[in-house]
Amino acid sequence: MRPKPDEFLAKQTLKVWKITAGLGALFYFLLPLGYWGVSLIWNLPGWPLYVLIAIAILLSLLNIFVIQKMQWKRWRYKIYENEVELMFGVFVVRRIIIPMIRVQHVDTRQGPILRYYNLASVTISTAATVHEIPGLSLEKADALRDHLAQLAREADPDE
């Protein structure tokens, strides 16, 4: 069996993921808010509102502080001459191998939160899908993008 990939994401990526999960957790509170609105109209009991708020808080905290850390610890990648290997997942760990011959183009991506932490993601496009290596330092992402593009050009038999 092939050894696990040994390249990790930047430590700052965990902060970015926690912030993003915190913003996403706001949607958990739409259900209690909806129940509150409906309870005002139809005079429903108040106790389910407190249960829904407790569930929303629990799910938010679980996602922000447990799931994101587990995801960050398991995310790895490795660049070989003929392929890229990605390994990620919390409960179901996926290992993906992308042959260089299938790579169509490589790009870096940076949203506002990544930009604030001086991070970027590298996207690897094939005919079938787009794969992403999230949360690398900006310098490492640029170097990796250029390196992958060079390996993809060398793997192309048409050139």
Side-chain angles (χ1 to χ4, degrees), residues 2-131:
R2 171 191 294 242
K4 291 181 180 178
D6 58 1
E7 296 285 332
F8 295 92
L9 303 179
K11 288 185 184 263
Q12 295 288 74
T13 305
L14 181 57
K15 288 182 185 177
V16 170
W17 286 355
K18 285 183 176 185
I19 291 168
T20 305
L23 293 172
L26 295 175
F27 289 104
Y28 295 148
F29 292 93
L30 290 178
L31 188 60
L33 184 64
Y35 182 84
W36 175 74
V38 170
S39 70
L40 289 177
I41 296 170
W42 288 320
N43 199 20
L44 297 175
W47 67 267
L49 176 63
Y50 301 118
V51 171
L52 291 173
I53 290 172
I55 290 171
I57 290 170
L58 182 66
L59 287 175
S60 298
L61 293 175
L62 182 69
N63 187 21
I64 294 168
F65 295 106
V66 178
I67 301 295
Q68 297 308 315
K69 188 167 187 171
M70 289 171 61
Q71 181 178 351
W72 178 77
K73 281 185 173 183
R74 288 188 173 94
W75 226 113
R76 300 177 186 188
Y77 68 97
K78 179 78 174 179
I79 308 301
Y80 298 100
E81 190 173 318
N82 295 321
E83 61 196 17
V84 177
E85 184 177 6
L86 308 175
M87 186 177 94
F88 56 91
V90 176
F91 301 110
V92 177
V93 178
R94 293 182 60 192
R95 290 179 79 171
I96 298 172
I97 296 176
I98 308 162
M100 285 296 173
I101 196 140
R102 300 288 181 224
V103 174
Q104 291 183 339
H105 71 275
V106 185
D107 196 8
T108 53
R109 192 180 336 196
Q110 202 181 31
I113 302 173
L114 285 173
R115 189 173 16 258
Y116 179 79
Y117 285 99
N118 203 29
L119 298 173
S121 295
V122 175
T123 59
I124 304 165
S125 300
T126 64
T129 189
V130 176
H131 301 280

